[in-house]
Amino acid sequence: MAFTFPIRVYWEDTDAGGIVFYANYLKFFERARTEWLRNLGVEQQKLRDEAGGMFVVTQAELNYLRPARLDDLLEVTAVLQSAGRASITIAQQAFLRPVSSDGTPQLLCEGSIRIGWVDSTSMRPARIPNSIVEKLS
């Protein structure tokens, strides 16, 4: 089941034409991923302080399908796609809300984001702590 997070498009998110600048979908996805993890009880600052590690983006692949515009309300999703011992991959999508007149959600952008676990001091890859893996499963 996908976690959903609402995001309003503000002036700062758009280009001169009032359309969301493509790189800002990465910011929208980051916010939704962070809230998804927080919802699972995984707070990133607490992880760094208590577990000595943190997640970093190691790969991002996005497909842009339709534009979002100034003042649009988006629903951004995050769902675990796969999990390993040192990284996880999250499937993410951004939909326009409200849905179209026929009730179909309008998919604007979709992507796959891989995040790896690193030691926060050395920045070297490490195994994700078991306590976190359990929460993600």
Side-chain angles (χ1 to χ4, degrees):
M1 184 172 194
F3 173 82
T4 61
F5 185 70
I7 293 177
R8 176 75 63 188
V9 175
Y10 298 119
W11 185 256
E12 66 187 20
D13 300 320
T14 64
D15 61 16
I19 293 176
V20 170
F21 182 65
Y22 74 95
N24 285 332
Y25 285 98
L26 290 168
K27 293 179 181 182
F28 299 160
F29 286 179
E30 176 73 26
R31 292 176 199 162
R33 270 194 323 279
T34 298
E35 293 303 324
W36 168 67
L37 288 169
R38 186 185 318 274
N39 187 60
L40 293 172
V42 179
E43 296 179 35
Q44 297 199 52
Q45 185 62 47
K46 189 175 179 182
L47 287 177
R48 186 174 181 189
D49 294 342
E50 295 178 7
M54 60 187 186
F55 285 114
V56 296
V57 173
T58 60
Q59 183 178 10
E61 182 178 327
L62 276 66
N63 295 314
Y64 303 95
L65 306 168
R66 297 179 131 145
R69 293 178 168 79
L70 181 64
D71 291 329
D72 281 350
L73 180 59
L74 309 182
E75 185 172 277
V76 182
T77 66
V79 64
L80 182 65
Q81 192 171 25
S82 65
R85 289 301 304 147
S87 69
I88 62 174
T89 303
I90 301 106
Q92 296 197 255
Q93 296 179 309
F95 294 94
L96 178 63
R97 292 290 179 224
V99 297
S100 64
S101 58
D102 67 357
T104 305
Q106 296 180 55
L107 180 60
L108 306 177
C109 181
E110 61 186 352
S112 177
I113 311 295
R114 182 176 170 210
I115 57 176
W117 183 259
V118 297
D119 177 276
S120 60
T121 303
S122 69
M123 296 303 288
R124 293 184 183 267
R127 287 182 167 251
I128 301 170
N130 286 334
S131 60
I132 298 170
V133 173
E134 291 170 5
K135 291 178 181 181
L136 297 175
S137 300

